[in-house]
Amino acid sequence: MPHMSMIEAIRDAMDVKMSQDASVLTFGEDVGYFGGVFRCTAGLQEKHGLHRCFDTPISEGGIVGIAIGMAANGLRPVAEIQFADYIYPGYDQIASEAARLRYRSNGDFICPLTIRTPVGGGIFGGPTHSQSPEALFTHIAGLKTVIPSNPYDAKGLLIAAIESDDPVLFLEPKRLYNGPFDGDHESPSVSWKGHALGDVPSGHYTVELGKARHVSEGPDVTIIAYGTMVWVAEAVAANLGIKADILDLRSLVPLDLDAIETSVKKTGRCVILHEATRTSGFGAELMSQVQERCFYHLEAPIRRVTGWDTPYPHAQEWAYFPGQKRVTAAVREVLEAA
Amino acid sequence: MATPKSNQSRMYVPEPPFRPGDTPDYSHISVPTDHTPHRPDPMCDDHETVEHALKLIRVMRFNGETAGEWVPGLTPDVKRKMLKDMMLTRAMDDRMFAMQRQGKMSFYMKSRGEEAVSVGHAYALSDQDMVFPTYRQQGILIARGASMLEMMNQCLSNSGDPLQGKNIPVLYSFRKHGFFSISGNLGTQLIQAVGWGMAEAYKNEDGIASAFTGEGATAEGDFHYALNFASTYRAPCIINVVNNQWAISSFQGIAMGDGESFAARGTGYGLATLRVDGNDILAVYAATQWAAERARQGGGATVIEHFTYRAEGHSTSDDPSKYRPANESEVWPFGDPVERLKTHLVKIGEWDDEQHEAFAKEAKLFVRETYKQAEALGTVEHGPQLDDFTMFEQVYADPPELLLEQKEMFRKELG
Ligand SMILES: Cc1ncc(C[n+]2csc(CCOP(=O)(O)OP(=O)(O)O)c2C)c(N)n1
């Protein structure tokens, strides 16, 4: 089985779908000739032609808008927004249009488009290249929000997203593009080579949207995470020497409630992680769901570990990031509660 | 109208020429008497239409004669049908407006004064073309033979509503008539239309997309996205700006300042531009037909400004006499679109006052009968009601568990 980085896996997913289905095409700023600033679409134009993979004006509202028109007209566009931080000019088209087209037309028109965009910190991107805006989208009915944590899932989830008849926002944690993350920003980056999750089958396969991945099983505590934070959770559990039930949600809408409920009822303790700003973050939704479903099984208050309610700082990136230290403290607290 | 540019350093806010109490006088709008500009080849370079963005294409004189290069070769039968479709649209609007006033509907929007824009446009397109309308192009549906009963059912959100109560009145969706689902968010459809057109081109199909916006909404970013993308990818589409002078209570200058014309906005993007007397249905037809031919042959998009006048309120929710002189529509120098076509047909001996009266009655009767059928299926206020559970449908192709759970919660709530 070939080893792939997340970038290669994402590209491979598009390549597989573009080879199979002429209605799949991809476009965005610098996506065509150059292959994208993160090189996710490198080679696709050469292989599939100028009409299948092309550059667009720097106009996120325009990119999403044409994608909606194309999707309504029988294509399956995969639009790239260069950084999630720049998705706001396209927000109205996503929230008011893509997400609602099926509903407002009562199924007369559908909108099977995928919007890919890199999220999260880890590259010293400061306030304009590091945001995690997922909560702004999970609140929007009619839209799916997906976020992989590894190359294997990235490819399978992206193919599933492209095949979905619903609009999907596909968030790619850029800290994981080139390799896994051991939760410690000071250790050198390693590549996906040799990592089990970097083994990516060639050809077509899917990872179902709405099914969490059990990263590890254990009776001590449930840690719910997605994207980059999955790796922090793993590192913390290893360092603490505990047996944690770690869930990688993989998609926020739809959400794997069964996995969450089963796990928290088993462990009685729950820590929720995300990189995004704390207030009204997706963690708040997860806490509500756990509270509503598992209250009588809880042995400790639920804790969430998040970024701060500040814009993502440049120099203090790792002080903002909910790293091992912050997560360890929260897990300890939850474990030690009577 | 160019406002003198004195006091340039002071805060400037444009104002319409007249307010309630003033005597409206449109002498500042020149009504061209010659029927220019000339009709270039539809595959001409875009810059050959630069002057067309400032002049008005007109076909019918006020005395009913036609003249100039844009006179379309339509048979009297087609023209009579156009007239009838405009009259039907107006009759439906009148009835629905009255019914809203009686509390049968939450809301309604009339298109009076603009019927030539939608009906004329529809006649020049073919059936596989997708229109991305606003809420003021109901005439396109009428012209394309949509069921008025279904339209009314949508407005009433009753058990016959094809949208099952999901959208507010007039925001129709009729894929079977090439009529895209209407959004309540202004301007958003413009760039979607470009994407639709690009997809047609990608699939090697001959359809084009035709998008509409009011002049007010051209100030939205989506309008500029659309012009730029349409030009970049030479998308087969038409971008129609219906300049009916008013955006609710804001006059057209608020959207554009001292700009020369809305059509001229296309010039900077390298698009063909046409400006047409929107109350002259033959001119609307001719301009649309030109733009459609250009798009279909690979010439790219055209911006058409339809210069017209919204003769009634913005919607059932506003009172136009609060912001403009009450008789403004009567002095509008381009007349009424229905009267203009009627005058032409009478002039060429293909219509007369009796026929006109008779059809007006027939239309009114048809609308009344159709409305009765619609009301029998319920209104939003009075039963028979739609099933409330339909609100949970068509949110997703495959609904997430949380949504299904909420549907169950609602079921319990009902007991
Ligand atoms: C994005 C957005 N902003 C504001 C509104 C409220 N609104 C509805 S219609 C309208 C005026 C539109 O005027 P114009 O574009 O000239 O079209 P017309 O109604 O004259 O046909 C406004 C401000 C809206 N529907 N959408």
CSV table of all heavy atoms in Angstrom, one decimal, chain A residues 250-267:
chain,number,residue,atom,x,y,z
A,250,ARG,N,-14.2,13.1,13.1
A,250,ARG,CA,-14.1,13.1,11.6
A,250,ARG,C,-15.1,13.9,11.0
A,250,ARG,O,-14.9,14.5,9.9
A,250,ARG,CB,-14.2,11.6,11.1
A,250,ARG,CG,-13.0,10.8,11.6
A,250,ARG,CD,-12.8,9.6,10.7
A,250,ARG,NE,-13.7,8.5,10.9
A,250,ARG,CZ,-13.5,7.3,10.6
A,250,ARG,NH1,-12.3,6.9,10.1
A,250,ARG,NH2,-14.4,6.4,10.9
A,251,SER,N,-16.4,13.9,11.5
A,251,SER,CA,-17.3,14.9,10.9
A,251,SER,C,-18.1,15.5,12.1
A,251,SER,O,-18.5,14.7,13.0
A,251,SER,CB,-18.2,14.3,9.8
A,251,SER,OG,-19.4,13.8,10.3
A,252,LEU,N,-18.4,16.7,12.0
A,252,LEU,CA,-19.1,17.4,13.1
A,252,LEU,C,-20.6,17.4,12.7
A,252,LEU,O,-21.5,17.4,13.6
A,252,LEU,CB,-18.6,18.8,13.3
A,252,LEU,CG,-17.1,18.9,13.4
A,252,LEU,CD1,-16.7,20.4,13.7
A,252,LEU,CD2,-16.6,18.0,14.5
A,253,VAL,N,-20.9,17.6,11.5
A,253,VAL,CA,-22.3,17.4,11.0
A,253,VAL,C,-22.2,16.5,9.7
A,253,VAL,O,-21.5,16.9,8.8
A,253,VAL,CB,-22.9,18.8,10.6
A,253,VAL,CG1,-24.3,18.5,10.0
A,253,VAL,CG2,-23.0,19.7,11.7
A,254,PRO,N,-22.7,15.3,9.7
A,254,PRO,CA,-23.4,14.7,10.8
A,254,PRO,C,-22.4,14.3,12.0
A,254,PRO,O,-21.3,14.0,11.7
A,254,PRO,CB,-24.0,13.5,10.2
A,254,PRO,CG,-23.2,13.2,9.0
A,254,PRO,CD,-22.6,14.5,8.5
A,255,LEU,N,-23.0,14.1,13.1
A,255,LEU,CA,-22.2,13.8,14.3
A,255,LEU,C,-22.5,12.4,14.8
A,255,LEU,O,-23.6,12.0,14.8
A,255,LEU,CB,-22.6,14.9,15.4
A,255,LEU,CG,-21.9,14.8,16.7
A,255,LEU,CD1,-20.4,15.1,16.6
A,255,LEU,CD2,-22.5,15.9,17.7
A,256,ASP,N,-21.4,11.7,15.2
A,256,ASP,CA,-21.6,10.3,15.7
A,256,ASP,C,-22.0,10.3,17.2
A,256,ASP,O,-21.2,10.1,18.1
A,256,ASP,CB,-20.3,9.5,15.5
A,256,ASP,CG,-20.5,8.0,15.6
A,256,ASP,OD1,-21.6,7.7,16.2
A,256,ASP,OD2,-19.7,7.3,15.1
A,257,LEU,N,-23.3,10.5,17.4
A,257,LEU,CA,-23.8,10.6,18.7
A,257,LEU,C,-23.7,9.3,19.5
A,257,LEU,O,-23.4,9.2,20.7
A,257,LEU,CB,-25.3,11.1,18.7
A,257,LEU,CG,-25.4,12.5,18.2
A,257,LEU,CD1,-26.8,12.7,17.7
A,257,LEU,CD2,-25.1,13.4,19.4
A,258,ASP,N,-23.9,8.2,18.7
A,258,ASP,CA,-23.8,6.9,19.4
A,258,ASP,C,-22.5,6.6,20.0
A,258,ASP,O,-22.3,6.2,21.1
A,258,ASP,CB,-24.1,5.8,18.3
A,258,ASP,CG,-25.6,5.9,17.9
A,258,ASP,OD1,-26.4,6.5,18.6
A,258,ASP,OD2,-25.9,5.3,16.8
A,259,ALA,N,-21.4,7.0,19.2
A,259,ALA,CA,-20.1,6.7,19.7
A,259,ALA,C,-19.8,7.6,20.9
A,259,ALA,O,-19.2,7.1,21.9
A,259,ALA,CB,-19.1,7.1,18.6
A,260,ILE,N,-20.3,8.8,20.9
A,260,ILE,CA,-20.1,9.7,22.0
A,260,ILE,C,-20.8,9.2,23.3
A,260,ILE,O,-20.2,9.0,24.4
A,260,ILE,CB,-20.5,11.1,21.7
A,260,ILE,CG1,-19.7,11.7,20.6
A,260,ILE,CG2,-20.5,12.0,23.0
A,260,ILE,CD1,-20.2,13.1,20.1
A,261,GLU,N,-22.1,8.8,23.1
A,261,GLU,CA,-22.9,8.4,24.2
A,261,GLU,C,-22.4,7.1,24.8
A,261,GLU,O,-22.2,7.0,26.0
A,261,GLU,CB,-24.3,8.3,23.7
A,261,GLU,CG,-25.3,8.0,24.8
A,261,GLU,CD,-26.8,8.1,24.3
A,261,GLU,OE1,-27.0,8.7,23.3
A,261,GLU,OE2,-27.6,7.5,25.0
A,262,THR,N,-22.1,6.2,23.9
A,262,THR,CA,-21.6,4.9,24.4
A,262,THR,C,-20.3,5.0,25.2
A,262,THR,O,-20.1,4.5,26.3
A,262,THR,CB,-21.3,3.9,23.2
A,262,THR,OG1,-22.4,3.9,22.4
A,262,THR,CG2,-21.0,2.5,23.7
A,263,SER,N,-19.4,5.9,24.7
A,263,SER,CA,-18.1,6.0,25.4
A,263,SER,C,-18.3,6.7,26.7
A,263,SER,O,-17.7,6.3,27.7
A,263,SER,CB,-17.2,6.8,24.4
A,263,SER,OG,-16.0,7.1,25.1
A,264,VAL,N,-19.0,7.8,26.7
A,264,VAL,CA,-19.1,8.6,28.0
A,264,VAL,C,-19.9,7.8,29.0
A,264,VAL,O,-19.5,7.8,30.2
A,264,VAL,CB,-19.7,10.0,27.8
A,264,VAL,CG1,-19.9,10.7,29.1
A,264,VAL,CG2,-18.9,10.8,26.8
A,265,LYS,N,-20.8,7.0,28.6
A,265,LYS,CA,-21.6,6.2,29.6
A,265,LYS,C,-20.6,5.1,30.2
A,265,LYS,O,-20.8,4.7,31.3
A,265,LYS,CB,-22.8,5.5,28.9
A,265,LYS,CG,-23.9,6.5,28.8
A,265,LYS,CD,-25.2,5.9,28.3
A,265,LYS,CE,-26.3,6.9,28.3
A,265,LYS,NZ,-27.5,6.4,27.5
A,266,LYS,N,-19.7,4.7,29.4
A,266,LYS,CA,-18.7,3.7,29.8
A,266,LYS,C,-17.7,4.3,30.8
A,266,LYS,O,-17.5,3.8,31.9
A,266,LYS,CB,-18.0,3.1,28.6
A,266,LYS,CG,-16.9,2.1,28.9
A,266,LYS,CD,-16.3,1.5,27.7
A,266,LYS,CE,-15.3,2.5,27.0
A,266,LYS,NZ,-14.7,2.0,25.8
A,267,THR,N,-17.2,5.5,30.4
A,267,THR,CA,-16.1,6.0,31.3
A,267,THR,C,-16.6,7.0,32.4
A,267,THR,O,-15.9,7.1,33.4
A,267,THR,CB,-15.1,6.9,30.4
A,267,THR,OG1,-15.8,8.0,29.9
A,267,THR,CG2,-14.5,6.0,29.3
